[in-house]
C-alpha cells in the first residue's frame, strides 16, 4: 500500500473543484455515479474507475517504443485494488478493492500483458450475490453473517511476487493467494499446513539472494514470522508477542541474522463504525515508532527499539554493520492522514493534502538498545514506494528508488516522477513523467552480468492521461534523469496498483 | 488488521455432549417456562459434519459452564431449525455454535486461535466473535436466530 501523498490532489483542485463540492458534502463518500461524473471531467481519474468482474480480464501485446534490451527477459508483476464498484455501489476506501494481478512478460522483442482479478472466496461470494456484501476495511455492509476469519474478506490486493513456480497475491491480514504464472488462474489460499489456515502472510516478504522468502503477519497480540525455502516449502513458522498489540505491521526488513519489523503507533479498529470510509485508523498519541528486531532462528531472542513517533508504511532495507548496528531505511510521515482521509478522498475523486513524508535512516544499536534517526535529503515534495537492488536485500544498499514529487504545485499528482537517492552523498536524481502522468512504484531489475547497484534497469508503470493508457517504462538506473529508454504502451488503462516484483526468465 | 477473537477458547474445551434436547424440525417456538426454545440456524454447510450448540445463561458462566448443549447432524439445507431444551429457570441465554466439519468434536483453530470451522452466535456477534453482551437474547418464546459465519 502506498502513501500516495496527495495523489491527484492539485490536479483535481484545478480541474474539478467546481464539480467536486469542496464544502461539507465533499467529506461524504462518493457514489459510483458521483465518481463517474468526476472522472468524465478529470482524465487522471480514469484508473480509479477500476474493472468489473465480467470484463476485468485484460490481455494484450503492448506497443513498443524505444529500445527494449534483448538481455531483459522475465515477468514483471503488479497488484492493486481493481474492482472498486459494483452496480451503484462504490467502495469508500481505496484499499477495499479486490486485487488484480498484472503480469508483463518481457522478452523476444515483445511485452505481453495479462491482468486477472484474484478469484478470492470474497470475490466469488459477491459475484454470486451480484453486489458487495462483505465488510471491507473502509466500507461496511450491515446485516451480514459474521466473518469465518480473515480470508473471508481477504482481497489479495497489495502485492504480487513469483516464487518457487507460483505467483503470490498478497494482502496484509490473511493468507497469500497462489496463482499460476502461466495464465494467472487462481489456485487458492496458500497455507502450507492446515493449522496455518488464515494466518496472516503480509504483503511485503523479503526474498534474499539465496531465494529464501521471509515474512511476518500480525494477529492482535501476536506476531507470526514465516520462512519459506527456495523450493517453496515452508521451513518454519514462529510466534512471538507483539510489543504493540493490535498495531499495524505492514512492512518488514531482513538482515543476515535478523528480522526487523517496524510497528508504527497506528491502530485499526475494524469494528468501529465508519464515516464514509473514515475513522477506523488512529495514531496512538504518545506512542513511539517501535522497531522489533528478532533473531531469524529464534524470534524469542529480540530487542525492541523506540524511535520518535512516526507513521511508517514502507522500509527500504536493513543491514547489519561490523560494529553491531542495524541500519534501517524507511519512509516516515508525521501522521496517518492518508490512511484515514487520503485514500477516501481518492475514491471520491476529490483533492486532499496528505502531508509530508521523508526518507529516514535509523541506526539501531543492538548492544545498548539505543537508536538514532537521521533524515535524508530529497524528500521536499514527498516520496513513497522505496525499493532497492534485489541482490542487496539484507545487505548494505547505497541506492534507493522512490515514486516522488517535487517542485511547486503544478496541478498534478505528487507522484509524477521517479527518484533515485544515493544515501552516501544525499544526491538525488529524478525523472519527471509530466503533469499528465501518475507514476507508480518502480523496481530495480539487475542487468545480466552487472555487479554494481546501478548496473540495473528501473521498471515501473505510469498512467498516461493524454494517451489514456497504462505505460510500462524502462529506465537505466545509472541515468534516471534521462527518462525511459524503452516503453510498452498498453491499449487500455489498468487500475492504479500498489506493489510488484520482477522475476527473471 | 485487527485480529479475530480467538473463538477456539469458546469451543475447544471438550466435545459437546448430547443432553437429550429434542431435535424437532420446524417445531414452533416454545416459551422458556417449558425449558425449551426454538433455534433457527442459517448459513449451515449442508450435510457436512455436525452442529455443536452450547447455551450459557449468565455473564459469569459464559463460555465456561453451559446450561444446555446439543449436537446434531447438519441437514440437507442451509437453514436448520431445532428445539433446544434444558433452559428452565433462565430468562436470557447466549448461544455459541460451531459446525464440526471434520468430526473431531472440537472447533478447528489455527495456530493463533482463529476458527477454521464455521461458527455462530445468538444476538449480534459482529464480525470478530461473540461476547455475552453481544450474544445474549431474552427467552420470551421468540425463535433464536443464529447465522453461521461466512
Amino acid at each position: 500500500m502506498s502513501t500516495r501523498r496527495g495523489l491527484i490532489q492539485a490536479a483535481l483542485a484545478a480541474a474539478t473543484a467546481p464539480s467536486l463540492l469542496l464544502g461539507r458534502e465533499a467529506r461524504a463518500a462518493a457514489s459510483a455515479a458521483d465518481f463517474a461524473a468526476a472522472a468524465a471531467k478529470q482524465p487522471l481519474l480514469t484508473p480509479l474507475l477500476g474493472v468489473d468482474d465480467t470484463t476485468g480480464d485484460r490481455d494484450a501485446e503492448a506497443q513498443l517504443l524505444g529500445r527494449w534490451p534483448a538481455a531483459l527477459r522475465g515477468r514483471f508483476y503488479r497488484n492493486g485494488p481493481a474492482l472498486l464498484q459494483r452496480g451503484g455501489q462504490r467502495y469508500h476506501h481505496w484499499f477495499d478493492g479486490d486485487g488484480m494481478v498484472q503480469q508483463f512478460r518481457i522478452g523476444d522483442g515483445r511485452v505481453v500483458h495479462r491482468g486477472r482479478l484474484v478469484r478470492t472466496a470474497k470475490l466469488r461470494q459477491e459475484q454470486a450475490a451480484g453486489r458487495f456484501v462483505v465488510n471491507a476495511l473502509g466500507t461496511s455492509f450491515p446485516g451480514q453473517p459474521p466473518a469465518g476469519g480473515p480470508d473471508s474478506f481477504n482481497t489479495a490486493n497489495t502485492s504480487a511476487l513469483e516464487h518457487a513456480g507460483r505467483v503470490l497475491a498478497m494482502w496484509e491480514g490473511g493468507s497469500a493467494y497462489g496463482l499460476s504464472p502461466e495464465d494467472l488462474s487462481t489456485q487458492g489460499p496458500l497455507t502450507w499446513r492446515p493449522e496455518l489456515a488464515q494466518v496472516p502472510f503480509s504483503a511485503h516478504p523479503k526474498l534474499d539472494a539465496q531465494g529464501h522468502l521471509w515474512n511476518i503477519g500480525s494477529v492482535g497480540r501476536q506476531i507470526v514470522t514465516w520462512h519459506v525455502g527456495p523450493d517453496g516449502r515452508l521451513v518454519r513458522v514462529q510466534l512471538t508477542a507483539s510489543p504493540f498489540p493490535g498495531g499495524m505491521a505492514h512492512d518488514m526488513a531482513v538482515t543476515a541474522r535478523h528480522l526487523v519489523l517496524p510497528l508504527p503507533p497506528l491502530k485499526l479498529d475494524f469494528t468501529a463504525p465508519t464515516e464514509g470510509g473514515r475513522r477506523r485508523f488512529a495514531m496512538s498519541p504518545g506512542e513511539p515508532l517501535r522497531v522489533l528486531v528478532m533473531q531469524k532462528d529464534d524470534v524469542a531472542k529480540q530487542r525492541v527499539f523506540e524511535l520518535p513517533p512516526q507513521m511508517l508504511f514502507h522500509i527500504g532495507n536493513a543491514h547489519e554493520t561490523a560494529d553491531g548496528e542495524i541500519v534501517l531505511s524507511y519512509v516516515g510521515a508525521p501522521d496517518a492522514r492518508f490512511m484515514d482521509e487520503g485514500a477516501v478522498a481518492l475514491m471520491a475523486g476529490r483533492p486532499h493534502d496528505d502531508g509530508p513524508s521523508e526518507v529516514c535512516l535509523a541506526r539501531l544499536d543492538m548492544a545498548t538498545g539505543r537508536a538514532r534517526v537521521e533524515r535524508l535529503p530529497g524528500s521536499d515534495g514527498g516520496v513513497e514506494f522505496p525499493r532497492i537492488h534485489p541482490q542487496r536485500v539484507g545487505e548494505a544498499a547505497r541506492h534507493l528508488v522512490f515514486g516522488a514529487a517535487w517542485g511547486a504545485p503544478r496541478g498534478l499528482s505528487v507522484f509524477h516522477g521517479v527518484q533515485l537517492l544515493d544515501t552516501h552523498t544525499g544526491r538525488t536524481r529524478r525523472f519527471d513523467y509530466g503533469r499528465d502522468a501518475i507514476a507508480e512504484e518502480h523496481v530495480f531489475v539487475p542487468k545480466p552480468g552487472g555487479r554494481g547497484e546501478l548496473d540495473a534497469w528501473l521498471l515501473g508503470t505510469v498512467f498516461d492521461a493524454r494517451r489514456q493508457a497504462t505505460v510500462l517504462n524502462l529506465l537505466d538506473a545509472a541515468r534516471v534523469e534521462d527518462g525511459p529508454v524503452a516503453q510498452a504502451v498498453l491499449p487500455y488503462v489498468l487500475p492504479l496498483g500498489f506493489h510488484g516484483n520482477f522475476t527473471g526468465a | 488488521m485487527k485480529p479475530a477473537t480467538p473463538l477456539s477458547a469458546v469451543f475447544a474445551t471438550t466435545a459437546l455432549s448430547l443432553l437429550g434436547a429434542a431435535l424437532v424440525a420446524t417445531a414452533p417456538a416454545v416459551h422458556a417456562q417449558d425449558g425449551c426454545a426454538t433455534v433457527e440456524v442459517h448459513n449451515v454447510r449442508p450435510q457436512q459434519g455436525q452442529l455443536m450448540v452450547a447455551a450459557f445463561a449468565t455473564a459469569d458462566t459464559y463460555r465456561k459452564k453451559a446450561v444446555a448443549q446439543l449436537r446434531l447432524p447438519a441437514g440437507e439445507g442451509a437453514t436448520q431449525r431445532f428445539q433446544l431444551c434444558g433452559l428452565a429457570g433462565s430468562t436470557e441465554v447466549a448461544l455459541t455454535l460451531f459446525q464440526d466439519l471434520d468430526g473431531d468434536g472440537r472447533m478447528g483453530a489455527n495456530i493463533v486461535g482463529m476458527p477454521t470451522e464455521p461458527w455462530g452466535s445468538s444476538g449480534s456477534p459482529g464480525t470478530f466473535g461473540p461476547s455475552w453482551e453481544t450474544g445474549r437474547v431474552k427467552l420470551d418464546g421468540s425463535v433464536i436466530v443464529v447465522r453461521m459465519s461466512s
Side-chain angles (χ1 to χ4, degrees):
Chain A
M1 285 178 264
S2 80
T3 53
R4 292 175 173 276
R5 296 189 65 255
L7 185 64
I8 319 181
Q9 64 187 33
L12 294 177
T16 63
S19 64
L20 288 178
L21 304 178
L22 296 177
R24 283 184 62 189
E25 293 166 78
R27 301 296 172 262
S31 69
D34 290 341
F35 188 80
K41 297 176 181 175
Q42 172 46 265
L44 280 170
L45 290 176
T46 312
L48 290 161
L49 288 166
V51 300
D52 64 59
D53 65 6
T54 55
T55 61
D57 290 356
R58 296 286 185 270
D59 293 275
E61 182 163 348
Q63 174 194 0
L64 301 190
L65 304 174
R67 295 185 59 188
W68 282 88
L72 176 59
R73 300 174 59 85
R75 297 170 293 282
F76 178 47
Y77 296 93
R78 285 182 50 74
N79 194 358
L83 201 161
L84 302 171
Q85 54 193 46
R86 277 183 186 274
Q89 296 173 295
R90 181 170 174 82
Y91 282 130
H92 299 331
H93 198 287
W94 186 29
F95 296 2
D96 291 347
D98 296 282
M100 181 176 180
V101 172
Q102 317 295 345
Q103 180 197 60
F104 298 86
R105 283 185 178 268
I106 304 169
D108 300 324
R110 305 169 67 200
V111 174
V112 178
H113 172 258
R114 169 167 291 174
R116 293 289 185 274
L117 286 164
V118 186
R119 301 287 165 182
T120 60
K122 181 240 182 218
L123 182 72
R124 293 198 308 272
Q125 182 185 351
E126 294 185 324
Q127 279 183 306
R131 56 193 174 91
F132 290 141
V133 295
V134 177
N135 288 328
L137 204 61
T139 313
S140 296
F141 301 96
Q144 300 305 313
D151 281 352
S152 62
F153 50 97
N154 184 347
T155 53
N157 72 358
T158 308
S159 189
L161 167 74
E162 184 176 326
H163 183 250
R166 61 190 165 204
V167 181
L168 279 60
M170 295 165 287
W171 189 52
E172 182 161 319
S175 304
Y177 266 79
L179 282 71
S180 162
E182 297 305 314
D183 59 8
L184 294 187
S185 57
T186 300
Q187 299 165 335
L190 277 173
T191 56
W192 283 278
R193 298 200 302 250
E195 68 271 25
L196 299 174
Q198 311 213 58
V199 175
F201 185 94
S202 196
H204 290 282
K206 294 297 177 287
L207 186 63
D208 68 22
Q210 290 71 45
H212 293 266
L213 195 64
W214 302 88
N215 202 2
I216 58 94
S218 174
V219 191
R221 297 185 173 278
Q222 299 183 85
I223 299 293
V224 185
T225 65
W226 300 81
H227 176 193
V228 180
D231 58 1
R233 295 182 185 176
L234 185 66
V235 177
R236 193 175 184 190
V237 166
Q238 299 180 75
L239 290 174
T240 189
S242 171
F244 187 56
M248 185 185 83
H250 182 74
D251 196 355
M252 52 86 74
V254 60
T255 70
R257 293 181 299 153
H258 294 95
L259 305 175
V260 182
L261 174 60
L263 295 164
L266 179 80
K267 290 199 173 181
L268 161 64
D269 184 357
F270 211 131
T271 63
T274 68
E275 292 178 19
R278 295 193 56 207
R279 306 294 182 213
R280 281 188 167 166
F281 312 95
M283 297 284 281
S284 300
E287 293 284 350
L289 164 60
R290 294 174 175 82
V291 180
L292 172 61
V293 179
M294 302 167 276
Q295 281 194 20
K296 283 176 172 173
D297 56 1
D298 183 359
V299 299
K301 295 175 180 171
Q302 58 182 244
R303 191 181 268 285
V304 180
F305 294 86
E306 295 192 352
L307 281 56
Q310 263 188 316
M311 176 59 192
L312 183 159
F313 268 115
H314 297 122
I315 64 97
N317 190 35
H319 73 276
E320 299 179 20
T321 66
D323 55 358
E325 281 188 338
I326 289 178
V327 181
L328 172 70
S329 57
Y330 63 92
V331 174
D335 56 45
R337 78 180 84 162
F338 172 77
M339 279 286 277
D340 194 43
E341 299 174 2
V344 175
L346 199 60
M347 287 296 287
R350 58 178 165 78
H352 184 264
D353 179 6
D354 293 321
S357 61
E358 57 189 355
V359 186
C360 299
L361 212 59
R363 299 181 186 279
L364 313 174
D365 188 324
M366 293 297 289
T368 66
R370 286 196 290 268
R372 290 176 291 133
V373 179
E374 174 187 358
R375 269 72 177 175
L376 297 182
S379 311
D380 47 311
V383 292
E384 251 299 347
F385 301 133
R387 299 299 296 254
I388 64 159
H389 191 292
Q391 292 167 357
R392 295 292 197 278
V393 170
E395 301 173 11
R398 177 170 172 172
H399 298 279
L400 294 163
V401 67
F402 306 89
W406 59 88
R410 49 171 148 170
L412 277 179
S413 162
V414 171
F415 284 75
H416 54 79
V418 58
Q419 175 170 301
L420 190 77
L421 171 65
D422 182 337
T423 61
H424 289 187
T425 66
R427 181 188 177 204
T428 60
R429 289 184 293 158
R430 299 158 162 170
F431 177 74
D432 186 352
Y433 283 102
R435 62 183 301 123
D436 298 310
I438 297 174
E440 301 192 286
E441 181 186 73
H442 284 50
V443 302
F444 278 89
V445 177
K447 292 180 179 176
R451 298 174 64 90
E453 285 182 48
L454 298 186
D455 290 331
W457 295 291
L458 301 176
L459 192 59
T461 45
V462 165
F463 169 61
D464 183 335
R466 284 180 302 175
R467 284 190 172 108
Q468 283 292 298
T470 297
V471 180
L472 180 64
N473 297 274
L474 186 75
L475 296 85
D476 190 322
R479 293 190 297 277
V480 172
E481 61 275 17
D482 291 350
V485 297
Q487 293 180 304
V489 183
L490 295 180
Y492 38 68
V493 178
L494 298 179
L496 295 180
F498 290 137
H499 304 288
N501 292 281
F502 179 83
T503 298
Chain B
M1 307 293 297
K2 192 178 177 74
T5 300
L7 283 162
S8 56
V10 181
F11 298 112
T13 50
T14 59
L16 299 175
S17 58
L18 184 62
L19 290 184
L23 169 61
V24 183
T26 67
V30 178
H31 201 274
Q33 280 88 328
D34 301 323
C36 300
T38 300
V39 180
E40 186 173 283
V41 183
H42 298 267
N43 208 21
V44 176
R45 279 59 164 176
Q47 295 183 306
Q48 296 184 52
Q50 300 188 93
L51 283 179
M52 312 291 267
V53 186
F56 304 93
T58 67
D60 291 341
T61 59
Y62 185 68
R63 299 186 185 184
K64 297 172 186 167
K65 185 177 181 183
V67 293
Q69 300 179 42
L70 173 67
R71 61 179 165 190
L72 63 160
E76 294 182 357
T79 298
Q80 200 155 343
R81 187 179 257 231
F82 55 88
Q83 224 177 345
L84 180 66
C85 297
L87 305 176
S90 302
T91 57
E92 57 185 358
V93 69
L95 306 186
T96 56
L97 285 78
F98 74 94
Q99 189 165 352
D100 186 17
L101 300 174
D102 59 11
D104 67 354
R106 304 173 69 89
M107 178 166 162
N110 65 20
I111 60 166
V112 292
M114 295 176 181
T116 55
E117 292 177 308
W119 63 274
S121 166
S122 54
S124 303
T127 301
F128 293 107
S131 65
W132 167 254
E133 288 302 322
T134 63
R136 65 178 176 173
V137 293
K138 291 192 182 307
L139 286 171
D140 58 4
S142 303
V143 174
I144 300 174
V145 176
V146 174
R147 287 194 296 178
M148 301 301 286
S149 61
S150 56

